[in-house]
Amino acid sequence: MRAITSLLFFIWMYVWMAVMGIVFAPIAAFWPNHVFFAMRLYVRILLFGLRWICGIHVRFEGLEHAPAGGALVAMKHQSPLDTFAPLLFLHEPAFVYKAELGKLPVFGWYVRRARMFELDRGGYATALKAMVRAAREAVAQGRQFLIFPEGTRQELDAPPDYKSGVAALYKDLAIPCTPVALNTGLVWPARGLMKSPGTVTFRVLPPIPPGLSREDFMRELETRIETASQDLLPPHLRRKQPA
C-alpha cells in the first residue's frame, strides 16, 4: 500500500506542477513580484496531497520566531519536503539551488522568476564567495536567506555534519541567525520514494544574536538544531548520548 500511495503522490505532485506552471505563467512572466503567491498555493496543494493520499500531516511551531524582513535562516535537512514547506512560514525566502535544477522544465523557470540563486559549482572557495554575495543581495532586498548548514539531506540516525559555510554567512551579514529544527525524515526519507503516514513538525527556534565567534556560533547552532530535532523524534529513534 505504501508503494501505491507514494506513486500516487508523485503523480499528484508533477501533474499539479504542470497545471500550476501553465496557469500562473502570465503572472510569473509579467509580475514576478507575485510569483510567491503561485508557489505557496502549489505547496498547499502538495501538503493536501500528502495528507489525503499518504496520511502525512505537517505542522509548524514557533512561528513567533519566524523573521519577516532580511534574515539568515539555518534549517535541518532530512527530506525533499524541506525545500517546499519554508514557503509557508517565511515571507519571501531565497534559496540556493543547483544548476541542474534550474534546467528542469517549469520548476527551473519559476525559481529563476522568484529570484533564487544558482550555486556556482566551480570549487568550494568560488561557491562560498558566490553564496555570500547572494546572501547579501537577498538580505538587502528584505528577504530571508535560507541555508541547510549540513549541505545535503541527512538520514535520521546520521551524526551531525555542519559545514562552515553558514558561519561565513553569519559573520559577513552580522545579523541574527534563526535556526529551524524538524523531523520530516520520519515520513519522507532523505533517499528513496517510499513515504509513511504520520505527523511531522517544523519548529522555528529563537534567533542566535550576531557577534559570536565562529566556534561559539557553530556550537550554538548545532546544539539548538540537534537538540530540538532529536526532541521531535520518538524516544526509540533518538541518538544515544555518549556515556
Side-chain angles (χ1 to χ4, degrees), residues 31-96:
W31 299 281
N33 289 338
H34 299 289
V35 73
F36 279 97
F37 171 80
M39 296 175 75
R40 287 192 180 92
L41 181 58
Y42 176 64
V43 173
R44 293 187 186 281
I45 291 172
L46 285 188
L47 297 193
F48 177 79
L50 279 174
R51 184 171 66 251
W52 176 56
I53 299 170
C54 301
I56 294 173
H57 299 257
V58 178
R59 64 185 184 186
F60 302 99
E61 295 179 354
L63 295 183
E64 67 275 13
H65 303 304
L72 175 63
V73 178
M75 192 167 80
K76 186 72 177 173
H77 198 12
Q78 295 178 348
S79 167
L81 178 59
D82 309 340
T83 59
F84 297 107
L87 285 160
L88 298 184
F89 62 85
L90 295 176
H91 175 64
E92 195 171 330
F95 297 82
V96 173

Side-chain angles (χ1 to χ4, degrees), residues 33-189:
N33 289 338
H34 299 289
V35 73
F36 279 97
F37 171 80
M39 296 175 75
R40 287 192 180 92
L41 181 58
Y42 176 64
V43 173
R44 293 187 186 281
I45 291 172
L46 285 188
L47 297 193
F48 177 79
L50 279 174
R51 184 171 66 251
W52 176 56
I53 299 170
C54 301
I56 294 173
H57 299 257
V58 178
R59 64 185 184 186
F60 302 99
E61 295 179 354
L63 295 183
E64 67 275 13
H65 303 304
L72 175 63
V73 178
M75 192 167 80
K76 186 72 177 173
H77 198 12
Q78 295 178 348
S79 167
L81 178 59
D82 309 340
T83 59
F84 297 107
L87 285 160
L88 298 184
F89 62 85
L90 295 176
H91 175 64
E92 195 171 330
F95 297 82
V96 173
Y97 65 91
K98 299 177 183 178
E100 52 266 32
L101 294 179
K103 297 176 183 177
L104 294 175
V106 182
F107 180 86
W109 187 65
Y110 269 83
V111 295
R112 289 192 296 273
R113 298 304 291 170
R115 296 171 294 140
M116 302 300 181
F117 297 92
E118 183 176 313
L119 179 64
D120 186 342
R121 303 301 292 271
Y124 177 77
T126 302
L128 181 59
K129 289 179 181 178
M131 188 167 63
V132 169
R133 289 195 301 270
R136 288 177 186 167
E137 182 179 341
V139 171
Q141 295 170 350
R143 303 175 67 188
Q144 303 82 51
F145 193 81
L146 175 63
I147 182 173
F148 300 114
E150 293 179 281
T152 189
R153 296 190 294 268
Q154 302 292 322
E155 303 289 349
L156 281 177
D157 58 352
D161 185 24
Y162 285 65
K163 306 295 193 299
S164 60
V166 64
L169 294 177
Y170 171 79
K171 180 179 179 181
D172 183 85
L173 297 172
I175 59 176
C177 176
T178 301
V180 180
L182 47 78
N183 60 349
T184 51
L186 287 171
V187 298
W188 189 343

